[in-house]
Amino acid sequence: MLHDPNKVYVFDTTLRDGEQVPGCQLTTPEKIEIAKELESLGVDIIEAGFPISSPGDFQSVVELSKAVSQPIICALTRANKGDIDSAVAALQHAKRPRIHTGIGSSDMHIKHKFNSTREEILARAVDAVKYAKKFVEDIEFYAEDAGRADINFLATMVEAVIAAGATVVNIPDTNGYCLPDQYGSKIKFLKDHVQNIDQAIISVHCHNDLGLATANSIAGLQNGARQIEGTINGIGERAGNTSIEEVVMILKTHKELGLHTNINTKNFYELSRMVSSQMRMPVQPNKAIVGSNAFAHSSGIHQDGFLKNRENYEIIRPEDVGFPDASIVLTARSGRHALKFHLERLGFALNKEELAKAYHRFLTIADRKLDINDEDLTAMMSETLSDKRLA
Ligand code: KIV
Ligand code: ZN
């Protein structure tokens, strides 16, 4: 397999792990609309669903396979023939199909979910990969709960599934348990100790239970993983999955990492809004990259610094993620510089003394009203201009 060693493949699971969230279920036409936007965004793989889980999910994978041509279309299965048969049937129209099969890898899952042993689980993993490989060339294997798995057993499992034909090995931190250095070390251990690891791509799939999904994904990439799995807006089970927009913008911002993706980052904001409205899942205002406050400057000190040179307080340009523009929000914490900026924008050019008086009046209003808009400023200025004190 010849891969650009610095390319990171982006695997979107908004329509599978994201859609599992209660209340986020989508119809097939809604999924197609999002999938087309994901294609324009430039994701490499779309996980379209879990076909055995319901007739509706099966049909969505069928329709998405027809509607989208550039990205690989992936279907999830458990490690059994019935699931794999269903995925094969659902992917029949996909130009580039992938089956994503797997099983638990931690002792917790082996004993308390499967009531089984490491040996039996290993055999089931290998059998599933071999069976899926009869139908589809591109097989991704997930070692569920790898974040809590014994590292030597995980390495044995990864080596065995690659030997059985897996082209991608997914190391999920299913419960969002790991610290970044622990997760990074796991990936490094696999890189260093799994003899056939160069025959597969290592994928990171992190959950956000401790708010570490993005940090863990980056740690995985820094240690040799080359596929990142996540969702738009970080939606997903419990506290969610890794936010694709966060990981991609970290790689773009920190050029020293030497990694790149195919993503058209300018599409992020619009897609974020689409996913939010279709899935009825509001984006928190302070969400990195796509939150409504992500480019809003509100304190006087920041506004002053931003107006002198926006790079004082802006490490990402809003236009790079399709965000309308940075904003200088006027509140009682704003300074004169911010007020002057907005008044000039509205056509009011004031000298120093006039500005001082207008600012005084502005603070009185801002203490009563949480944020001040253009209409408030215009009303304030018409009163102020007719006021003899300013003349
Ligand atoms: O979190 C997880 O382990 C998963 C797997 C099914 C890939 O979503
Ligand atoms: Zn997951």
Side-chain angles (χ1 to χ4, degrees):
M1 247 185 299
L2 272 182
H3 292 289
D4 169 354
N6 299 324
K7 167 161 178 179
V8 173
Y9 292 86
V10 176
F11 176 116
D12 180 275
T13 185
T14 306
L15 301 175
R16 198 280 296 170
D17 227 348
E19 209 245 3
Q20 284 174 204
V21 174
C24 284
Q25 276 65 43
L26 299 176
T27 61
T28 299
E30 286 171 333
K31 285 188 189 173
I32 290 175
E33 207 184 326
I34 291 181
K36 286 191 170 158
E37 290 303 316
L38 289 169
E39 182 171 38
S40 307
L41 182 70
V43 302
D44 301 284
I45 304 108
I46 296 177
E47 187 160 52
F50 180 17
I52 194 85
S53 66
S54 75
D57 223 36
F58 181 95
Q59 203 50 37
S60 292
V61 177
V62 173
E63 298 304 331
L64 256 69
S65 300
K66 293 182 194 162
V68 166
S69 59
Q70 288 299 313
I72 291 171
I73 299 292
C74 178
L76 185 79
T77 82
R78 291 164 297 186
N80 67 60
K81 288 187 177 174
D83 280 27
I84 294 169
D85 288 341
S86 172
V88 171
L91 287 169
Q92 61 188 298
H93 300 288
K95 290 183 189 62
R96 301 167 69 204
R98 174 180 293 181
I99 288 183
H100 189 191
T101 191
I103 199 160
S105 61
S106 65
D107 288 331
M108 182 77 200
H109 277 213
I110 292 171
K111 287 187 194 134
H112 301 289
K113 182 173 159 185
F114 295 100
N115 189 22
S116 186
T117 61
R118 287 185 181 182
E119 293 68 31
E120 259 179 39
I121 291 292
L122 191 59
R124 283 173 66 178
V126 168
D127 287 350
V129 172
K130 283 189 178 158
Y131 185 68
K133 194 81 178 177
K134 289 185 185 167
F135 309 101
V136 171
E137 173 51 35
D138 187 2
I139 307 296
E140 173 166 342
F141 177 82
Y142 64 86
E144 197 182 2
D145 203 21
R148 294 189 296 172
D150 172 79
I151 190 64
N152 290 305
F153 177 65
L154 184 63
T156 304
M157 186 180 236
V158 166
E159 191 161 313
V161 296
I162 295 174
T167 41
V168 180
V169 281
N170 177 9
I171 311 301
D173 186 19
T174 305
N175 290 292
Y177 169 75
C178 289
L179 295 171
D181 67 319
Q182 293 171 333
Y183 191 69
S185 302
K186 265 186 200 277
I187 303 298
K188 181 163 171 26
F189 186 94
L190 297 176
K191 269 288 217 198
D192 292 345
H193 294 88
V194 172
Q195 186 215 308
N196 53 4
I197 197 71
D198 291 338
Q199 292 168 33
I201 292 175
I202 302 181
S203 185
V204 292
H205 177 118
C206 298
H207 280 264
N208 206 29
D209 300 67
L210 293 172
L212 290 171
T214 296
N216 284 345
S217 299
I218 294 293
L221 296 177
Q222 286 179 295
N223 283 282
R226 286 294 176 270
Q227 178 177 288
I228 171 266
E229 306 193 5
T231 61
I232 298 298
N233 299 337
I235 61 161
E237 291 269 357
R238 308 180 307 279
N241 286 57
T242 304
S243 289
I244 286 183
E245 62 275 14
E246 293 177 11
V247 171
V248 169
M249 291 313 292
I250 288 169
L251 299 185
K252 194 174 161 95
T253 305
H254 284 274
K255 299 257 185 303
E256 72 277 14
L257 294 175
L259 299 173
H260 61 90
T261 67
N262 264 357
I263 297 297
N264 304 315
T265 61
K266 289 185 178 357
N267 295 13
F268 272 139
Y269 182 69
E270 201 182 319
L271 183 52
S272 160
R273 289 294 172 270
M274 178 193 273
V275 167
S276 167
S277 84
Q278 289 204 356
M279 293 193 157
R280 297 158 289 276
M281 200 51 162
V283 178
Q284 70 191 61
N286 59 330
K287 166 82 181 63
I289 316 297
V290 290
S292 55
N293 286 349
F295 299 96
H297 304 273
S298 61
S299 81
I301 294 173
H302 287 208
Q303 291 176 334
D304 180 59
F306 178 85
L307 289 167
K308 284 176 176 147
N309 179 340
R310 48 197 300 162
E311 286 182 24
N312 280 326
Y313 287 98
E314 194 173 81
I315 59 160
I316 299 168
R317 286 181 305 174
E319 59 269 28
D320 285 351
V321 295
F323 202 93
D325 195 6
S327 56
I328 301 284
V329 185
L330 287 178
T331 70
R333 301 291 157 266
S334 299
R336 278 160 221 242
H337 202 164
L339 179 65
K340 182 167 179 273
F341 166 79
H342 278 291
L343 290 178
E344 282 177 359
R345 193 176 53 76
L346 294 171
F348 299 103
L350 307 186
N351 64 32
K352 211 171 166 193
E353 195 190 332
E354 288 166 340
L355 180 65
K357 286 179 177 160
Y359 184 62
H360 183 72
R361 184 160 283 201
F362 160 77
L363 284 183
T364 319
I365 301 169
D367 265 338
R368 279 187 274 119
K369 196 166 186 287
L370 290 184
D371 73 278
I372 307 290
N373 58 30
D374 286 356
E375 278 174 23
D376 299 322
L377 286 183
T378 313
M380 177 188 93
M381 285 312 293
S382 53
E383 283 169 28
T384 309
L385 289 173
S386 61
D387 185 334
K388 292 281 176 300
R389 283 172 301 165
L390 196 78

